Amino acid sequence: MISGKAILNTSPHPPSPFRASRIIAEMERRNLPVNRRLVTTYLRVQAKPVDNSPASAVFISGVEIIRLADSGGEKASDRGERVARELQNALMAGGKIADVKLDKSGRTVTMMGVPVITPTADDAELAGTSVSQVSQSAAVNIRKALMKERYEQGY
């Protein structure tokens, strides 16, 4: 029987910074994407109810992205979950700060060309502003969350 100590003594683990840099360089040489979000616990997207309100708020790592109202017969909580799922999918696909844009109408936030947030007049009323301003604020807030990630992760 091999003891755990024997395995540790003969294994190349834990990976050294040198070994890790060599693996990353090889992945880049082979044009394999390095997507750290797939294996980390940071940059979580969540939809949460807003206190004393039927509204739902969507957060990325604690940064509020948007508040959603009941709209078109859909509950705010369901809309929040849908938006959170769309954002999470975009981030897991490798979405970056430069990928956050508004569509030509200025009413839909996209990441990597995929719509992730389309506020309604009900959301604008909740925010006390226009739909295009809600969209613009959501895009800015997504960028803030991604900048926060970059700063906290050190790259």
Side-chain angles (χ1 to χ4, degrees), residues 109-127:
V109 181
T110 65
M111 286 187 74
M112 300 178 357
V114 177
V116 291
I117 302 174
T118 303
T120 65
D122 297 313
D123 302 326
E125 184 178 333
L126 178 68

Side-chain angles (χ1 to χ4, degrees), residues 66 68 71 74 79 82-83 86 103 105-110 114-121 123 131 134-135 138:
I66 189 170
L68 302 166
S71 186
E74 188 177 15
R79 294 183 66 222
R82 182 172 39 81
V83 167
E86 295 294 332
D103 71 353
S105 73
R107 297 172 62 101
T108 297
V109 181
T110 65
V114 177
V116 291
I117 302 174
T118 303
T120 65
D123 302 326
V131 172
V134 172
S135 297

Side-chain angles (χ1 to χ4, degrees), residues 68-114:
L68 302 166
D70 293 342
S71 186
E74 188 177 15
K75 289 182 177 183
S77 59
D78 294 337
R79 294 183 66 222
E81 290 296 329
R82 182 172 39 81
V83 167
R85 190 171 44 255
E86 295 294 332
L87 283 168
Q88 188 68 45
N89 289 342
L91 293 171
M92 294 299 280
K96 297 178 179 71
I97 294 168
D99 298 319
V100 180
K101 299 184 181 217
L102 293 174
D103 71 353
K104 290 179 183 178
S105 73
R107 297 172 62 101
T108 297
V109 181
T110 65
M111 286 187 74
M112 300 178 357
V114 177

